[in-house]
Amino acid sequence: MKVSEIVQLLDGVVLSEGDNMEKDLHSACASDMMSDVLAFVKDQAVLITGLCNPQVVRTAEMMDMLCIVLVRGKKPDTTLVELARDRGITLIATPHRMFAACGILYQAGLKAEV
Amino acid sequence: MENLHFEYEVAGNNFSQAGMASDAVKSTLKKMGIASEDIRRVAIAMYEGEINMVIHGGGGVAVIDIFFDHIEIKLIDHGKGIENIELAMTPGYSTAEDEIRALGFGAGMGLPNMKKYADVLEIESEVGVGTTVYIRVDFH
Ligand SMILES: Nc1ncnc2c1ncn2[C@@H]1O[C@H](COP(=O)(O)OP(=O)(O)O)[C@@H](O)[C@H]1O
Ligand SMILES: [Mg+2]
């Protein structure tokens, strides 16, 4: 699934274009606890989260994740957006809540594991 | 090969900057061509340790030595210290405030994560004096 497809499925907006807009993304993880992401993520490409602070980008960066989806219409400040842009990570905001966003992407074929 | 030596100041209680040192180490290892699985283990262990320095230790210094086959990371703070290290290592144990939890940390998984990804993890701490965390990750 390409980033453009995620954006479309989630009625999202792209806040920062990453380096991998054309890459096929296969798996995702959803969490509001960054330590859980650091503990359990293997090679998931997408991070879906209700958090909205720079540590979301740092965590994704540490895990080599390519795309972050901010749920519930969160509007990140410029620091977060700049950090994502700088790291080449795609940042998407969606009005959907966590459960719905996950369900929509899962149904469309994004998996929990690679 | 000579080892590479770096030192980074880690500002206490500055949550938005936390992770900058780990990020810098990660990109250095990347440039050196270290395997990405090894880099990720280093990044996770150091990042959790750096976050701990920021939220529990009042900041400090990260001392990094990179050798051809491993990395040594020393995280030194002069914060409140850890009373019971064994207890602190328990998955889920955390003294973090709710406001830290609202930021996505404080799940009590930091030290267990560091243990999981490091080849060697040693913690020295004295209450009221500070904490030194030693992390060694071998490159495979
Ligand atoms: N550098 C430190 N200085 C003081 N206390 C620390 C430090 N690192 C860890 N601790 C203590 O150990 C506990 C467990 O740490 P950790 O497993 O990283 O969980 P968390 O950071 O989510 O609370 C912390 O809640 C804190 O009480
Ligand atoms: Mg921690």
Side-chain angles (χ1 to χ4, degrees), chain A residues 38-109:
Chain A
L38 294 164
F40 303 118
V41 163
K42 291 216 175 68
D43 269 308
Q44 282 86 336
V46 184
L47 172 61
I48 305 159
T49 185
L51 277 186
C52 195
N53 66 57
Q55 299 311 327
V56 172
V57 181
R58 295 259 184 240
T59 300
E61 157 81 8
M62 299 301 165
M63 306 308 286
D64 303 311
M65 300 175 96
L66 307 176
C67 176
I68 299 168
V69 176
L70 304 174
V71 299
R72 271 184 278 125
K74 286 276 167 67
K75 293 208 174 55
D77 60 15
T78 46
T79 327
L80 195 160
V81 179
E82 290 294 313
L83 194 59
R85 188 166 294 138
D86 191 59
R87 292 300 181 276
I89 295 172
T90 304
L91 191 62
I92 299 170
T94 171
H96 292 284
R97 296 169 71 173
M98 179 76 107
F99 183 74
C102 294
I104 291 166
L105 295 180
Y106 195 90
Q107 203 163 33

Side-chain angles (χ1 to χ4, degrees), chain A residues 35, chain B residues 48-49 51-53 55-58 77 79-82 87-90 92-96 101 105-112 114 125 130-131 133:
Chain A
S35 284
Chain B
E48 288 281 14
I51 293 277
N52 279 354
M53 280 176 98
I55 65 180
H56 306 296
D77 71 58
K80 60 179 188 278
I82 306 173
L87 180 63
M89 293 295 303
T90 315
Y93 176 83
S94 175
T95 59
R101 222 152 294 173
F105 286 88
M109 291 305 294
L111 291 174
M114 288 153 74
S125 190
T131 303
V133 175

